[in-house]
Amino acid sequence: MTKMTGQTRRTILKGGVAAAAAATLGAPTVLRAQPAAVKIGLLQPMSGFLAQAGDLASIGAQFAVDEINAAGGIKALGGAQIELLIGDSKSNAEAGAQEVEALNEAGVVAIGGGFASGISLTATQAAARHDLPFLVDSATADSITGRDLANTFRLGPNFSMATEVALQNLIKLNEAAGNPAKTVALVHEDGLFGAGLAQVMQEKLPGLGFEILETISHPTPARDMSNVVLRLRSLQPDLVIPSHYYNEFVLMARTMQQQRVRPMGVYAVFGGAASSYQFVAEYPEAAEGVFDCNHWGDPSNPTDAELKAAVEAQGKHYAYNTPINYSVVKVLAEAIEKAGAADRAAVTEQLRTAEFGSGVMPYGTTKFGEDGQNVNALPLNTQVQDGKINVIFPDQFAQSTPVFPVNG
């Protein structure tokens, strides 16, 4: 795994030239040059306030690279090994675009990752200038794949896809309990991610029979959520639906616990901490019972357990960033295999027209629509139960039944 910075540049090694030279010299097979490594870029926030997500993503991506290389590499290229180059977006959009430029100069054939919507928007735009295929991992803004960029694809679900699933499951959850929840407070970070989800919720929830008492926004990063929770205490909503990143989610949940704000449920959509075992391990009381509709690996896939074990072996806590970035690398490698060349245009064409596996994500086959969105992407609903993050919806992936209402 090679870590990129804005100042790092790498020389592009052309495997075909090396192989031709070896053949001309008539060297024995065992002495001939190995095929040139195929370079895949991974853009993640390796520093800054989102660094935890980038760290977990890199573990999943490198796991996939090691797995592919151990199995013989890219067979269509004579067993060429994959080399992972990591670009640090530094948790901001401008640095993300700069790292795309560095990865381009390093000679990557494709880039995966992005994580945050704002970073992914600028990064994919930068990649488009070089006709560099970019496979977004977990960034959810609909607009990422709505700009007619031929190079841009997304593995996971977007805002609209995820909120549709989340709301269907919320109705199912509420009906099974006798429809006790009638009022909702929305809490969201004020960036593209949180504001976009809040807008969709504001449009959809009233038509489903829920009254939105208030929509509360907050900056990211935030160091205190006392005012937000005091407002929730005053409103007394049946449900709190938050959309924010890890630190803010933890702050809100801990403050709610301290101030004894106990709604029937905290039902997150892309909850930054609700699908992280760090939150569960460090703040078990605040985490217990929290729902989330989020990216999550297929719990019946044995590799998902292996990824979790790999993360824990490093003394870290598992979250969705690991399985989805494992899957991003697997899809990109399959596209290179199908293309039969480490050629950007050929890889883009395969991503545009072919079908792929989905790594450990619960998508069945991955197929990108005309806008580059994976039409089979599916979030899973989870709930923290007795210190474990269990899938509760849909039924074919469920590990347990939901507990609702959680409080009162």
Side-chain angles (χ1 to χ4, degrees), residues 74-164:
I74 304 296
K75 296 176 177 59
L77 299 179
Q81 299 284 281
I82 294 175
E83 181 184 356
L84 186 68
L85 276 62
I86 297 181
D88 179 11
S89 69
K90 301 178 178 63
S91 300
N92 72 78
E94 182 180 355
Q98 292 171 351
E99 286 299 277
V100 168
E101 297 296 333
L103 289 167
N104 173 62
E105 291 190 22
V108 298
V109 68
I111 298 176
F115 178 61
S117 291
I119 297 171
S120 296
L121 277 168
T122 59
T124 50
Q125 187 74 47
R129 292 196 291 269
H130 306 290
D131 295 321
L132 180 56
F134 197 119
L135 180 56
V136 175
D137 55 352
S138 55
T140 56
D142 287 9
S143 56
I144 291 172
T145 54
R147 296 168 295 160
D148 198 28
L149 295 180
N151 71 307
T152 301
F153 304 87
R154 174 165 41 204
L155 182 64
N158 60 20
F159 279 159
S160 299
M161 297 167 72
T163 52
E164 182 178 353

Side-chain angles (χ1 to χ4, degrees), residues 40-298:
I40 292 178
L42 181 74
L43 182 70
Q44 289 292 337
M46 304 304 295
S47 60
F49 72 99
L50 299 174
Q52 180 187 57
D55 184 33
L56 293 176
S58 68
I59 294 173
Q62 188 62 49
F63 193 103
V65 168
D66 293 342
E67 184 179 84
I68 294 164
N69 287 343
I74 304 296
K75 296 176 177 59
L77 299 179
Q81 299 284 281
I82 294 175
E83 181 184 356
L84 186 68
L85 276 62
I86 297 181
D88 179 11
S89 69
K90 301 178 178 63
S91 300
N92 72 78
E94 182 180 355
Q98 292 171 351
E99 286 299 277
V100 168
E101 297 296 333
L103 289 167
N104 173 62
E105 291 190 22
V108 298
V109 68
I111 298 176
F115 178 61
S117 291
I119 297 171
S120 296
L121 277 168
T122 59
T124 50
Q125 187 74 47
R129 292 196 291 269
H130 306 290
D131 295 321
L132 180 56
F134 197 119
L135 180 56
V136 175
D137 55 352
S138 55
T140 56
D142 287 9
S143 56
I144 291 172
T145 54
R147 296 168 295 160
D148 198 28
L149 295 180
N151 71 307
T152 301
F153 304 87
R154 174 165 41 204
L155 182 64
N158 60 20
F159 279 159
S160 299
M161 297 167 72
T163 52
E164 182 178 353
V165 171
L167 291 174
Q168 289 173 354
N169 290 338
L170 176 59
I171 292 169
K172 186 186 301 185
L173 185 73
N174 200 34
E175 287 181 346
N179 291 309
K182 303 183 186 305
T183 61
V184 174
L186 303 175
V187 182
H188 69 92
E189 64 97 24
D190 61 3
L192 183 62
F193 156 58
L197 278 169
Q199 181 178 352
V200 174
M201 288 294 178
Q202 288 172 321
E203 295 170 354
K204 299 287 187 182
L205 283 170
L208 299 174
F210 293 98
E211 178 188 358
I212 299 176
L213 300 179
E214 194 164 315
T215 300
I216 306 170
S217 68
H218 63 80
T220 298
R223 292 179 172 80
D224 185 84
M225 297 287 277
S226 297
N227 290 337
V228 170
V229 175
L230 283 172
R231 186 58 183 156
L232 291 175
R233 187 171 188 171
S234 174
L235 292 169
Q236 297 186 25
D238 297 327
L239 291 170
V240 174
I241 299 182
S243 296
H244 36 215
Y245 294 109
Y246 182 86
N247 291 333
E248 287 69 32
F249 196 109
V250 170
L251 277 173
M252 187 195 73
R254 291 179 63 197
T255 308
M256 287 176 66
Q257 180 192 11
Q258 292 162 0
Q259 296 191 15
R260 302 179 68 81
V261 176
R262 297 176 176 175
M264 291 183 187
V266 175
Y267 190 86
V269 181
F270 295 126
S275 294
S276 170
Y277 268 100
Q278 180 172 351
F279 177 48
V280 175
E282 294 180 353
Y283 307 104
E285 293 183 13
E288 186 64 24
V290 170
F291 297 94
D292 195 13
C293 184
N294 209 332
H295 313 288
W296 198 246
D298 177 358

Side-chain angles (χ1 to χ4, degrees), residues 56-57 59-61 307-308 311 318-327:
L56 293 176
I59 294 173
L307 288 167
K308 186 171 183 289
V311 170
Y318 196 57
Y320 67 81
N321 315 83
T322 303
I324 198 168
N325 279 277
Y326 165 90
S327 304

